[in-house]
Short mmCIF file of all heavy atoms in Angstrom, two decimals:
data_model
loop_
_atom_site.label_atom_id
_atom_site.label_comp_id
_atom_site.label_asym_id
_atom_site.label_seq_id
_atom_site.Cartn_x
_atom_site.Cartn_y
_atom_site.Cartn_z
N ILE B 23 -25.75 -16.73 -41.53
CA ILE B 23 -24.55 -16.03 -42.00
C ILE B 23 -23.29 -16.67 -41.43
O ILE B 23 -22.28 -16.83 -42.12
CB ILE B 23 -24.60 -14.54 -41.58
CG1 ILE B 23 -25.77 -13.82 -42.25
CG2 ILE B 23 -23.30 -13.83 -41.92
CD1 ILE B 23 -26.09 -12.46 -41.64
N SER B 24 -23.36 -17.05 -40.17
CA SER B 24 -22.14 -17.47 -39.46
C SER B 24 -21.94 -18.98 -39.47
O SER B 24 -21.13 -19.50 -38.73
CB SER B 24 -22.19 -16.96 -38.02
OG SER B 24 -23.29 -17.54 -37.35
N ARG B 25 -22.69 -19.66 -40.35
CA ARG B 25 -22.65 -21.13 -40.30
C ARG B 25 -21.24 -21.71 -40.52
O ARG B 25 -20.93 -22.77 -40.00
CB ARG B 25 -23.64 -21.73 -41.30
CG ARG B 25 -23.28 -21.48 -42.76
CD ARG B 25 -24.46 -21.67 -43.69
NE ARG B 25 -24.11 -21.30 -45.06
CZ ARG B 25 -24.03 -20.05 -45.50
NH1 ARG B 25 -24.30 -19.05 -44.70
NH2 ARG B 25 -23.69 -19.80 -46.74
N ASN B 26 -20.40 -21.03 -41.27
CA ASN B 26 -19.04 -21.53 -41.50
C ASN B 26 -18.01 -20.86 -40.61
O ASN B 26 -16.81 -21.11 -40.73
CB ASN B 26 -18.61 -21.30 -42.95
CG ASN B 26 -19.40 -22.18 -43.91
OD1 ASN B 26 -19.76 -23.30 -43.56
ND2 ASN B 26 -19.69 -21.66 -45.09
N ASP B 27 -18.48 -19.94 -39.76
CA ASP B 27 -17.54 -19.07 -39.05
C ASP B 27 -16.63 -19.80 -38.07
O ASP B 27 -17.01 -20.81 -37.47
CB ASP B 27 -18.31 -18.01 -38.24
CG ASP B 27 -18.73 -16.83 -39.09
OD1 ASP B 27 -18.57 -16.91 -40.32
OD2 ASP B 27 -19.21 -15.84 -38.51
N LEU B 28 -15.46 -19.20 -37.88
CA LEU B 28 -14.66 -19.48 -36.71
C LEU B 28 -15.21 -18.55 -35.64
O LEU B 28 -15.80 -17.52 -35.96
CB LEU B 28 -13.20 -19.14 -36.99
CG LEU B 28 -12.63 -19.75 -38.27
CD1 LEU B 28 -11.37 -19.04 -38.68
CD2 LEU B 28 -12.39 -21.23 -38.05
N ALA B 29 -14.99 -18.90 -34.41
CA ALA B 29 -15.54 -18.08 -33.31
C ALA B 29 -15.08 -16.62 -33.44
O ALA B 29 -15.85 -15.69 -33.21
CB ALA B 29 -15.11 -18.66 -31.97
N SER B 30 -13.82 -16.45 -33.84
CA SER B 30 -13.29 -15.09 -33.94
C SER B 30 -14.02 -14.27 -34.99
O SER B 30 -14.21 -13.06 -34.84
CB SER B 30 -11.79 -15.13 -34.25
OG SER B 30 -11.59 -15.76 -35.50
N LEU B 31 -14.44 -14.92 -36.04
CA LEU B 31 -15.13 -14.20 -37.10
C LEU B 31 -16.53 -13.76 -36.65
O LEU B 31 -16.97 -12.66 -36.93
CB LEU B 31 -15.20 -15.06 -38.37
CG LEU B 31 -15.91 -14.43 -39.58
CD1 LEU B 31 -15.36 -13.05 -39.91
CD2 LEU B 31 -15.80 -15.34 -40.80
N THR B 32 -17.20 -14.64 -35.93
CA THR B 32 -18.52 -14.25 -35.42
C THR B 32 -18.39 -13.07 -34.46
O THR B 32 -19.21 -12.16 -34.48
CB THR B 32 -19.20 -15.45 -34.72
OG1 THR B 32 -19.17 -16.56 -35.62
CG2 THR B 32 -20.64 -15.13 -34.37
N ARG B 33 -17.34 -13.09 -33.64
CA ARG B 33 -17.09 -11.94 -32.76
C ARG B 33 -16.91 -10.67 -33.58
O ARG B 33 -17.44 -9.62 -33.26
CB ARG B 33 -15.84 -12.19 -31.90
CG ARG B 33 -16.11 -13.02 -30.64
CD ARG B 33 -14.98 -12.82 -29.61
NE ARG B 33 -13.66 -13.18 -30.11
CZ ARG B 33 -13.17 -14.44 -30.16
NH1 ARG B 33 -13.92 -15.46 -29.75
NH2 ARG B 33 -11.96 -14.66 -30.62
N LEU B 34 -16.15 -10.81 -34.66
CA LEU B 34 -15.90 -9.66 -35.54
C LEU B 34 -17.21 -9.15 -36.14
O LEU B 34 -17.43 -7.95 -36.27
CB LEU B 34 -14.92 -10.08 -36.64
CG LEU B 34 -14.29 -8.98 -37.49
CD1 LEU B 34 -13.42 -8.06 -36.64
CD2 LEU B 34 -13.43 -9.60 -38.61
N ARG B 35 -18.08 -10.07 -36.53
CA ARG B 35 -19.38 -9.68 -37.11
C ARG B 35 -20.19 -8.85 -36.10
O ARG B 35 -20.77 -7.83 -36.45
CB ARG B 35 -20.20 -10.92 -37.49
CG ARG B 35 -19.65 -11.70 -38.65
CD ARG B 35 -20.63 -12.81 -39.03
NE ARG B 35 -20.03 -13.79 -39.92
CZ ARG B 35 -19.83 -13.59 -41.23
NH1 ARG B 35 -20.20 -12.47 -41.79
NH2 ARG B 35 -19.29 -14.54 -41.97
#
Side-chain angles (χ1 to χ4, degrees):
Chain B
I23 296 166
S24 62
R25 67 199 175 282
N26 291 327
D27 278 9
L28 309 162
S30 62
L31 180 52
T32 308
R33 277 199 302 278
L34 192 63
R35 291 187 193 283

